[in-house]
């Protein structure tokens, strides 16, 4: 299968340079993969960095930007059977990553593939999981990620990413194929990349959580969105992804995320 990589960037020239260097070092079927950089009004020379690496640059203005629209724009220029979405600050870990992420598409049932560290309950994911209609219905906010994931071009051509969502366009797209056609996605811990927003400032975490919750609220039902507990109870008891419950409760970043999620649900 041929591979195209779509990298989204805004004022991340240094990160983009590292991202593209790692892509250039890919071996096997990933060697020489087509790379398209979608630049969102960068003023730091990100577009020039992309061109120096031989990537095609496509521009999208801030006024027109949504994550879905940016990816659709890049995907519309791509020619690969498998299209890989990457954030400029998502760094692949090994030289055969493109080959490994594209391999599951030999199964015609597979719609998408990405890395994942956790089950929804916070326990570690230790093996690849086939995300099917049962999981899509049971865990509506879990699934495919465009931060570093691959999707089948043929399916994207039939139904692009939703451009009206402020975020979560990836989750919506991946879930759609499981629920409507019985397709599957692959969540594989071995495909994780270096991509971490957990140490961002609390304000940035609040904004991201609010945006993602607003996106979910546009395609999930009220029952799927309803929090299991009141906010204070959730803050005290739901300490998933933390080794120490009291450290979780004392974290301003976690508090910002929980508050952002509640605000986003109301404004979606």
């Amino acid at each position: 299968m041929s591979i195209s990589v779509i990298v989204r960037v805004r004022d991340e020239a240094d990160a983009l340079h590292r991202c593209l260097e790692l892509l250039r070092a890919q071996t096997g079927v990933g060697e020489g993969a087509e790379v398209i950089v979608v630049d969102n009004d960068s003023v730091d020379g990100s577009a020039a960095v992309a061109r120096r690496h031989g990537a095609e640059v496509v521009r999208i203005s801030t006024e027109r930007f949504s994550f879905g629209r940016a990816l659709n724009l890049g995907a519309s220029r791509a020619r690969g059977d498998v299209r890989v979405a990457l954030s400029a600050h998502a760094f692949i870990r090994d030289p055969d990553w493109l080959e490994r992420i594209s391999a599951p598409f030999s199964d015609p049932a597979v719609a998408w593939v990405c890395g994942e560290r956790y089950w929804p309950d916070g326990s570690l994911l230790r093996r690849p999981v086939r995300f099917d209609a049962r999981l899509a219905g049971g865990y509506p906010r879990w699934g495919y990620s465009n931060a570093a994931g691959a999707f089948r071009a043929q399916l994207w051509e039939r139904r692009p990413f939703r451009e009206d969502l402020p975020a979560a366009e990836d989750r919506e797209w991946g879930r759609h194929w499981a629920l409507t056609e019985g397709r599957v996605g692959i969540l594989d811990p071995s495909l994780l990349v270096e991509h971490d927003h957990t140490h961002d400032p609390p304000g940035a975490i609040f904004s991201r959580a609010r945006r993602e919750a607003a996106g979910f609220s546009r395609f999930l039902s009220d029952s799927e969105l309803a929090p299991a507990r009141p906010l204070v109870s959730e803050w005290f008891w739901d300490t998933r992804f933390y080794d120490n419950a009291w450290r979780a409760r004392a974290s301003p970043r976690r508090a910002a995320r929980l508050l952002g999620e509640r605000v986003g649900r109301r404004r979606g």
Side-chain angles (χ1 to χ4, degrees), residues 4-8 19 23 71 82-93 97-98 101-102 105 112-117 143-151 161 169-171 186-197:
S4 297
V5 184
I6 302 156
V7 182
R8 291 160 291 129
C19 177
L23 286 172
L71 282 164
V82 173
R83 299 186 187 171
V84 175
L86 273 181
S87 295
H89 52 275
F91 307 122
I92 56 184
R93 298 178 183 271
W97 187 84
L98 282 179
I101 202 170
S102 62
F105 290 99
W112 53 264
V113 183
C114 68
E116 177 57 66
R117 179 174 283 110
Y144 176 58
S145 172
N146 273 329
F151 56 94
F161 296 104
E169 80 299 329
D170 41 11
R171 298 286 202 266
I186 305 296
L187 294 160
D188 186 345
S190 76
L191 292 171
L192 283 168
V193 302
E194 184 182 329
H195 178 260
D196 184 13
H197 287 293

Side-chain angles (χ1 to χ4, degrees), residues 98-214:
L98 282 179
E99 181 164 330
R100 290 191 297 111
I101 202 170
S102 62
F105 290 99
S106 61
D107 179 349
V110 171
W112 53 264
V113 183
C114 68
E116 177 57 66
R117 179 174 283 110
Y118 299 109
W119 286 96
D121 66 2
S123 60
L124 286 175
L125 191 67
R126 300 188 183 279
R127 57 176 177 79
V129 169
R130 288 173 72 88
F131 182 94
D132 56 13
R134 180 183 61 84
L135 288 176
Y139 303 107
R141 285 173 281 181
W142 195 50
Y144 176 58
S145 172
N146 273 329
F151 56 94
R152 190 180 292 275
Q154 185 181 45
L155 296 182
W156 172 85
E157 289 165 357
R158 287 172 51 195
R159 186 183 186 274
F161 296 104
R162 280 182 56 173
E163 299 184 355
D164 62 315
L165 301 179
E169 80 299 329
D170 41 11
R171 298 286 202 266
E172 191 277 337
W173 193 88
R175 189 171 185 260
H176 166 82
W177 295 109
L179 295 178
T180 62
E181 293 194 2
R183 304 270 183 169
V184 298
I186 305 296
L187 294 160
D188 186 345
S190 76
L191 292 171
L192 283 168
V193 302
E194 184 182 329
H195 178 260
D196 184 13
H197 287 293
T198 60
H199 300 292
D200 287 355
I205 290 175
F206 172 86
S207 296
R208 182 175 299 104
R210 179 181 61 187
R211 183 171 62 243
E212 290 176 353

Side-chain angles (χ1 to χ4, degrees), residues 55 79 118 173 223 232:
R79 297 183 295 273
Y118 299 109
W173 193 88
S223 61
V232 172

Side-chain angles (χ1 to χ4, degrees), residues 121 228-242 244-246 248-249 254 257-258 262:
D121 66 2
R229 299 183 176 97
L231 178 59
V232 172
S233 179
E234 185 177 9
W235 163 78
F236 190 84
W237 292 108
D238 185 2
T239 57
R240 289 174 295 171
F241 315 113
Y242 283 81
N244 182 285
W246 286 107
R249 293 165 188 150
R254 177 172 170 270
R257 176 177 59 79
L258 293 174
R262 296 302 174 103

